[in-house]
Structures are given as C-alpha cells and as structure tokens.
C-alpha cells in the first residue's frame, strides 16, 4: 500500500532532519543555521529585506529546553513557523512579516 501525498510530505521531514543531526540525533546551532541557509534561502532573504535578522535568534527561540540542541520536535516547530509564514503569504501577508497582511490600495473599501 502506497503512502498518501500528505504522508510522504511528513515522512520527508525525517531525512531532512537527519541530514543536519549529530550522532545524538539533535542539531546544533551551526547545523541549524546551515540547514536554514541551504534549504530556505528565499525565506531568509525575505526576512533580511524586511530588516529581520531571523538567524540571530532562531536557535535560542526554538531550543525550548535550553540544552543547546534542537530535537526533532523543536525542528518541527521551526518548520511550522516557516510554513505558517508561507500560508500567511498566500493570504496577502508580506514574506517574513509575522502574519501582518498588506492592505490593498484604498484599504478595505471595495472588498466584499
């Protein structure tokens, strides 16, 4: 029985994580920054254009237990943030805007 597209998408996150992990199955700060630069260059570029230095704080933000390592659940949280940003863009938000939608010229007038 073959997997659904959704199952394949989720399962593809495992080898992505393992590409950057250490033997203890966690990602250190240099590994996380490398992963973001290699796998999400457009996202980082958009953040930099907005003056948001995403890389300067992402590790500390996602290392919830403070062990200086990113575990798989913390990795998924990071990917969730990036996916949420892309979702917000699909609804008119600027890239790396934290979800703030851009208003069309003239504000909301004429929208129904």
């Amino acid at each position: 029985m073959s997997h659904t597209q959704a199952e394949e998408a989720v399962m593809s996150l495992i080898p992505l994580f393992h590409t950057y992990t250490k033997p203890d199955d966690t990602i250190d700060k240099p590994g996380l920054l490398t992963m973001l630069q290699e796998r999400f260059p457009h996202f980082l570029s958009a953040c930099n254009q907005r003056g948001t230095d995403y890389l300067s704080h992402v590790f500390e933000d996602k290392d919830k237990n403070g062990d200086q390592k990113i575990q798989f659940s913390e990795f998924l949280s990071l990917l969730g943030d990036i996916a949420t940003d892309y979702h917000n863009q699909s609804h008119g938000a600027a890239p790396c805007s934290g979800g703030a939608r851009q208003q069309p010229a003239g504000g909301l007038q004429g929208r129904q």
Side-chain angles (χ1 to χ4, degrees), residues 4 9 11 20 44-46 55-56 58 61 75 77 83 92 105 107:
T4 67
M11 290 186 317
Y20 298 94
L44 294 177
S45 176
L55 292 178
S56 70
V58 66
D61 290 350
F75 173 77
S77 175

Side-chain angles (χ1 to χ4, degrees), residues 54-102:
Y54 191 80
L55 292 178
S56 70
H57 59 81
V58 66
F59 187 85
E60 290 74 17
D61 290 350
K62 290 300 160 186
D63 182 21
K64 294 297 184 194
N65 63 2
D67 65 355
Q68 299 300 304
K69 301 174 184 181
I70 298 297
Q71 298 168 346
F72 189 66
S73 62
E74 294 165 330
F75 173 77
L76 291 176
S77 175
L78 168 64
L79 295 184
D81 289 350
I82 294 171
T84 298
D85 189 80
Y86 283 121
H87 176 257
N88 291 339
Q89 288 177 49
S90 77
H91 292 286
C96 201
S97 65
R101 297 182 184 186
Q102 295 177 325

Side-chain angles (χ1 to χ4, degrees), residues 45-54:
S45 176
C47 290
N48 289 339
Q49 287 176 5
R50 292 188 61 81
T52 304
D53 188 3
Y54 191 80

Side-chain angles (χ1 to χ4, degrees), residues 30-50:
L32 183 70
L33 301 182
T34 298
M35 186 273 299
L36 289 167
Q37 291 166 336
E38 291 178 356
R39 303 301 177 118
F40 297 98
H42 297 102
F43 175 77
L44 294 177
S45 176
C47 290
N48 289 339
Q49 287 176 5
R50 292 188 61 81

